[in-house]
Amino acid sequence: MSESKKLLRGRFRKDAARLVKQFTASVDYDRRLYRQDIAGSITHARMLAKQGIITDEEAETITTGLVAIREEIEHGLLEFDSELEDIHMNIEARLAGKIGDVAGKLHTARSRNDQVALDIRLYMKDAISSALHRLRELQTVLVDLAESNREVVMPGYTHLQRAQPVMFAHHLLAYFEMLERDIGRFLDCLKRTDVLPLGSGALAGVPYPVDRTFLAQELGFGHISQNSMDAVSDRDFVVEYQAVTCIVMMHLSRLAEELILWSSAEFAFVEMNDAYATGSSIMPQKKNPDVAELVRGKTGRVYGNLMGILTVMKGLPLTYNRDLQEDKEGFFDTVDTLAVVLDVFNGMLRTMRVFPDRAEQAAKESYALATDFADYLVRKGLPFRQAYTIVGGLVDHAMAEGLGLDEIDISTLRSFSPLFEEDIRRIDTMASVNARNCIGGTASEQVAAQLVRARDIIEGGYVD
Amino acid sequence: MSESKKLLRGRFRKDAARLVKQFTASVDYDRRLYRQDIAGSITHARMLAKQGIITDEEAETITTGLVAIREEIEHGLLEFDSELEDIHMNIEARLAGKIGDVAGKLHTARSRNDQVALDIRLYMKDAISSALHRLRELQTVLVDLAESNREVVMPGYTHLQRAQPVMFAHHLLAYFEMLERDIGRFLDCLKRTDVLPLGSGALAGVPYPVDRTFLAQELGFGHISQNSMDAVSDRDFVVEYQAVTCIVMMHLSRLAEELILWSSAEFAFVEMNDAYATGSSIMPQKKNPDVAELVRGKTGRVYGNLMGILTVMKGLPLTYNRDLQEDKEGFFDTVDTLAVVLDVFNGMLRTMRVFPDRAEQAAKESYALATDFADYLVRKGLPFRQAYTIVGGLVDHAMAEGLGLDEIDISTLRSFSPLFEEDIRRIDTMASVNARNCIGGTASEQVAAQLVRARDIIEGGYVD
Amino acid sequence: MSESKKLLRGRFRKDAARLVKQFTASVDYDRRLYRQDIAGSITHARMLAKQGIITDEEAETITTGLVAIREEIEHGLLEFDSELEDIHMNIEARLAGKIGDVAGKLHTARSRNDQVALDIRLYMKDAISSALHRLRELQTVLVDLAESNREVVMPGYTHLQRAQPVMFAHHLLAYFEMLERDIGRFLDCLKRTDVLPLGSGALAGVPYPVDRTFLAQELGFGHISQNSMDAVSDRDFVVEYQAVTCIVMMHLSRLAEELILWSSAEFAFVEMNDAYATGSSIMPQKKNPDVAELVRGKTGRVYGNLMGILTVMKGLPLTYNRDLQEDKEGFFDTVDTLAVVLDVFNGMLRTMRVFPDRAEQAAKESYALATDFADYLVRKGLPFRQAYTIVGGLVDHAMAEGLGLDEIDISTLRSFSPLFEEDIRRIDTMASVNARNCIGGTASEQVAAQLVRARDIIEGGYVD
Amino acid sequence: MSESKKLLRGRFRKDAARLVKQFTASVDYDRRLYRQDIAGSITHARMLAKQGIITDEEAETITTGLVAIREEIEHGLLEFDSELEDIHMNIEARLAGKIGDVAGKLHTARSRNDQVALDIRLYMKDAISSALHRLRELQTVLVDLAESNREVVMPGYTHLQRAQPVMFAHHLLAYFEMLERDIGRFLDCLKRTDVLPLGSGALAGVPYPVDRTFLAQELGFGHISQNSMDAVSDRDFVVEYQAVTCIVMMHLSRLAEELILWSSAEFAFVEMNDAYATGSSIMPQKKNPDVAELVRGKTGRVYGNLMGILTVMKGLPLTYNRDLQEDKEGFFDTVDTLAVVLDVFNGMLRTMRVFPDRAEQAAKESYALATDFADYLVRKGLPFRQAYTIVGGLVDHAMAEGLGLDEIDISTLRSFSPLFEEDIRRIDTMASVNARNCIGGTASEQVAAQLVRARDIIEGGYVD
């Protein structure tokens, strides 16, 4: 063995304790649970006193100590020590330093296993509330943008090919619907998060006459966990939160993709506000939709976080295993990503400039009315499939001649089908749009109704 | 260019059409949507007639034709043709062959985009019902198994280390809780699946006076999509189904892992029935828990299917893109996997032999009562943290002496803490278990109550 | 318990054996390993005879039987039986049926664990060869396309914004480079696949004087596994194959995205051949780049397969566990997907029509020469950052005036910087392109050199 | 609109610029590239001078400034400003502050796109070197541990059922093989990372007579990128690094799983050193293998990072898109995770206590010699399949009688097969082990040879 290797091993041995501490410590990231942890501990102490497990004075001493520690943390006065591993032990140690042995009574009828489950659930309930609020905000922006561009027509696309003209507002409201489902999923996730695990102990419950109903009420939980072994090993709510957020990000990645397309010189339907675009380090003419690109890119991170927690949980025997510590960083990252992504999207849309003329021109210069021509023939009695074939030939002809469908003279039209008459001229972009006047269709009347419905939903709050 | 390369290119060119057909065709797997497709078409035809868009006779002709085609398919008489790409075109072509031009009228006011969205939603509603049924069945097996092993005690584990004794029934009921959440998630997913997309056309709605409410009622949908562009490009429900199933599989992988551990010679708490175990091709003594292993392994496939559809959807512009065709194979695979996995798990648990003596002995021979000793001291007035330290020393002493905690004489106990008295002898495995008598705790009384609750839930059906 | 439930349970019990067989059977998909399995068995029999473990006659009888079975399979005459679980047992049973007890000697010194590992490795070696061939073919198409469009200029994009003009051939050659790395990764994966596992037995090696070197030579392996426990539980090569293919698909998804963009009315740089595009069921004017979309979509499936096998392998103890059976379906799916995707991409590119005028016009009408203007000032002595700022102002001015950079008169230019002189007129699209004349740059001279290099690589075969 | 909402929107507007800056800034994490960035810039400046693009004095001034900035950073004296977005602009701005306008010349013939690609490649080359070193270290630990437990026998497992006895050293060496493949994969990844992108400019190359060969030599690159558009948009090497690390983590998760099993009371083959285990907050007797559990858990994070970057890259058009910024955080996280995981694993194994008696007893008390009994009959002339059946019956008999195979008397044995003779007694655990004396088998002789080979590999360094 070479000298350098020997030295290296020496280093490993000497540093082992420190290295392991650093490896297993979580206080660097779980410190953000301090408010939840202290709130949980105060309530626990009050419950212990109420049940006569500790005295009222003891509870009072503990509470005062904890409140003071919260102050210290919020003023940056508490130095977190990774030797003490996590936020729970940091606070407990500080409490012991402040109030002495009575601090040790706080851990009666409680384990870190149910304590940490409590803290994450409390934190997640806040995170969901915040997500719901931001999703509603983004819906509001979409509706505002739709309303202020009520008259704008654009090509609707399938396969990124111009298909049929649609109202720009209709296009935007598609995203309103997606976000509404996202809100529904978060609300459903909230139901399953809103369950008090405290009182489950390490895994088997606690051998004290605790009052879990009191704990739930004081901490604002709607339900109480019914199986202690499940309660300390359950991270379903984290997985579900990650999955729900993946779908949100998937939606935003789609809108981001569209904004990037629309910002290109080729589409040129919109322009990002300078605050939401950046220049190039080398190309002075560039105005890049960086914010939209970055939102699209951040989809990867959130997908990865979901895959991460699913992998962590796979094949773990009951109950608590240290692997579960890996639930938090990915979760916090997703919470932060979602918050900032929704905020920047909000501002980006709100300040985006729309070019109605470009959008309308694109709608007109394509053959997007071909389906309407076919439907015209259907209304004159042809089966759709035959009408479709005839208009297909017509489009081929028009393309070859370099004409728009509206530029073909009637006699030519009639050579394709005698059913064509003068009234075919009534079919234009707006006629096409307004013909689609069924529920959910792009007709102005329908879009107007949907705008009203959207406002109602936004104002009505969350109904499950 | 070499001769062989030239030949190769020739091959490519000649086969291009066939290759592309094969590449884009989906009838090999989407044929399983035939019932949904035909049901949707019949209802669509009836609606068209009701609204005067086609005549009653036309609708009747179409319906009769479709019913006959369904018969043909169910008797294996219809040869699917991948030249016709998908199940929809196969049925449409067969209909044209049967009833002639009038078949072409079926495609009035409908596009493949809303048609396929309808079919998958109808299929998924059935898939969810079936999953719910099977999950309830598995819950029933867990409860039956718990009841028939009511008296069995085993070590509860954290970190795969024996921690505190628990009731075997309590351990099983932890999985009851997980499955109950899974049921909740499927019900929530069902709400968002239960939305009629038909009437959305290709993307913009349809230019006919369709009655979407009628369609929804006839096809059993509770809701109608409100935005046509969203309706044809939305696959949220597929992603959500995949995510929900991932969590189910995660739960089952955990139970599978435990069954594999428990089947080992080292644990030997259970033995799989011969039907659920297999031998080795080379080792005559082996009895392997293959079914449990395979369930654990199949978790990977379902995680993969989720990641697949999330990737497909990322960054797609509205509305329909051909990428969406990739929604189905992974979905069908997950549906099939979930069904068979739940069925085999059911039988595996139902026929599994439990060895109560081994489980109980394991619970007893560890130091799993240490927490109870600490709690004993707490009840005599010590703060928990001090009690914990004292018992920690006691355990070290006992291990060094090779004694169980119950084998240390009183005077030795008192040398660790004078608070120890004769009544410490009352702490044994069952006393430990029954001390945890709070909601969700492992005490026999609590477990009995949970068994009653579980039966109530099972009998009560699904309440959201 | 209700009657229907009782019935249901009856069904479960009665069908248990069948259900489990179906659940654990793999012959439906592992039958495609029949050639590998038979080749391995024949070589194994010959080795056993060579080592005197069986007689030469026995080996001969076994070989003749296996050759006949291969014939049967290839002529569709062997009915696979899922009761016999997998391809290995199906062949073994058929062999016993054909040649009697001597068939049982084939399993001497071999287990299914090393047998299946052998079969997959043999299969994968073929799959990699095939992938390498197809990747080279696709590189050839790219080079052909580049050469036949040597003069075409287009906008180079960053952030989907026009940035600087580039040669179309240069753009295509970027994908040549990606595929070249993919080839390198497959070759590296091949090294680690090219290892004979046979002779590892169930897990511990075999108690017979086998000649593994002989086996390796006869079966064409370059290496012999060095640890039997690793050999039967190693699926690294499957994971690596999946990961390598994910990167290929990622590359193809990028090119597919570009082809979809370029096929849009907005870009209109290319048009897919009719064979590689499809129409709409409802919109007669549509020509959708379905093949490119589907390739992009199939990226999801391959990503999912990678995640699947990674999940399967996570946390499995040594050695063989039944979970490993899940290595195959995802692998076969990826093999098939890669093959067809490369084939259709090949044909799609080969038949694609390019519109040089549209591409060139797009390159010209943007401000893509702005960097060249800045570089002009740099060459006159300004630090780049100052030049950048001046040209930024110039672009703003030009946009406001609706002018191209080449349309601003000299005096105006000089009002931005006195360094501008008449020679600024020499900067045009081709000058910009040809100025980038460093290795890897877009100058015609460089691109020509790269085309030569690309041909050399293609002709030179695979050098690691 | 409510007042609170108005306020909220006000907040958004006012903070938009700040929020976007924060959203797009990367200096918080890419600051760790400062050494690479400065090294790249110094070399770039020297090349510019060498080529006469800037003067020698300018290059000298720039270099001196950059060296000073590196000093400042390393002494914590440079405050990073997220307004300046990334590490590159922070350094450039600081340079301008220090040396004035000449700093602007550094950006000649370079863009942030090729600059950032350079920095990550330099960083990754270091990261791979470090990973290789640590993997070799861990191999050394495995070999040391194997050697110091040369005589230890244990049960080999398949399906977590005892299968055949193996040497403990043999089991450990299986992981040596896995790590050796990991090293091979990192070396292969290194080849593709070792490519200089500088000189690619923003996307099209640079319009200056740069000397890329000089740059490559000075910066230690073996290759030069051959296509500028590929070079700025290629992140294959990041994906490949992530994939390679996933496989490492997969391997470690398997060993971690085994260590956790072996640390359980049920197996009790090993005990973690106190430094690598932790206690419980509530159960004084617990000694949990937390480090092993956490390693297993961290597999999820690394899998997630792979999935993240694959998702980011999917479907991105050329060339640079802002999405690519998301390549770094996941990459850094994986680099850090791998480093610490390998370090703690090293120490954990090195300090782990092995209980040879427990392992040996487990090997003996099972029916792990059954295969040897069958092989005994084969050597007496029976086909393996018949021998297998006979021994299967024998095992059933022994189990029913509660006997070990070695406890059945000869006459009983002979009633199963007359081929059994007295020499059957020679089959014991060590005889079974040593019978597997083929390459890669568990026989002591083979294991000894593998230990020598392993040492040779370790001492021999990395040969590709």
Side-chain angles (χ1 to χ4, degrees), chain B residues 445-461:
Chain B
E445 190 182 324
Q446 294 295 334
V447 173
Q450 290 296 337
L451 284 170
V452 171
R453 176 176 158 272
R455 288 279 182 223
D456 284 353
I457 288 171
I458 291 170
E459 298 300 333

Side-chain angles (χ1 to χ4, degrees), chain D residues 426-440:
Chain D
R426 284 191 219 133
I427 297 183
D428 63 8
T429 300
M430 277 316 297
S432 167
V433 163
N434 285 324
R436 280 146 183 88
N437 197 12
C438 51
I439 300 170

Side-chain angles (χ1 to χ4, degrees), chain B residues 350-393:
Chain B
R350 197 170 286 290
T351 58
M352 181 178 80
R353 193 172 156 201
V354 180
F355 299 112
D357 294 351
R358 290 286 315 229
E360 189 174 346
Q361 190 189 342
K364 282 191 173 153
E365 74 188 15
S366 63
Y367 293 89
L369 299 181
T371 318
D372 296 277
F373 272 57
D375 286 323
Y376 172 93
L377 295 177
V378 168
R379 274 188 296 270
K380 303 247 168 166
L382 272 193
F384 184 82
R385 278 285 171 244
Q386 289 179 32
Y388 174 95
T389 305
I390 288 165
V391 178

Side-chain angles (χ1 to χ4, degrees), chain A residues 155 157-164 257 260-261 263-267 269 278-290 293 307 311-314 316 323 362 367-371 374 384-385 388 391-392 395 399, chain C residues 155 157-164 257 260-261 263-267 269 278-290 293 307 311-314 316 323 362 367-371 374 384-385 388 391-392 395 399:
Chain A
Y157 294 81
T158 61
H159 308 262
L160 206 62
Q161 298 287 317
R162 294 168 184 168
Q164 294 172 353
E257 171 85 3
I260 293 163
L261 290 176
S263 300
S264 70
E266 286 74 14
F267 282 80
F269 295 171
T278 61
S280 154
S281 70
I282 191 172
M283 294 168 287
Q285 88 281 14
K286 292 293 295 294
K287 184 169 180 185
N288 301 319
D290 288 71
E293 291 171 88
M307 199 41 53
T311 303
V312 167
M313 300 303 296
K314 183 229 166 188
L316 284 192
D323 317 54
Y367 293 89
L369 300 182
T371 319
F384 183 82
R385 279 286 170 242
Y388 173 94
V391 178
V395 169
M399 282 180 174
Chain C
Y157 294 81
T158 62
H159 307 263
L160 207 61
Q161 299 286 317
R162 293 169 185 168
Q164 293 172 354
E257 170 85 5
I260 294 162
L261 289 175
S263 300
S264 70
E266 287 73 15
F267 282 79
F269 294 171
T278 61
S280 154
S281 71
I282 192 171
M283 295 169 288
Q285 87 282 14
K286 291 294 294 294
K287 183 169 179 183
N288 300 320
D290 287 71
E293 293 170 87
M307 198 41 54
T311 303
V312 167
M313 300 303 297
K314 183 230 166 188
L316 283 192
D323 317 54
Y367 293 89
L369 300 181
T371 318
F384 184 82
R385 278 287 170 246
Y388 174 95
V391 179
V395 170
M399 282 180 174

Side-chain angles (χ1 to χ4, degrees), chain C residues 11-29:
Chain C
R11 170 171 70 75
F12 277 133
R13 253 191 296 272
K14 209 175 60 189
D15 296 349
R18 198 182 51 77
L19 181 68
V20 171
K21 277 288 172 196
Q22 176 193 325
F23 181 62
T24 54
S26 55
V27 71
D28 276 357
Y29 52 86

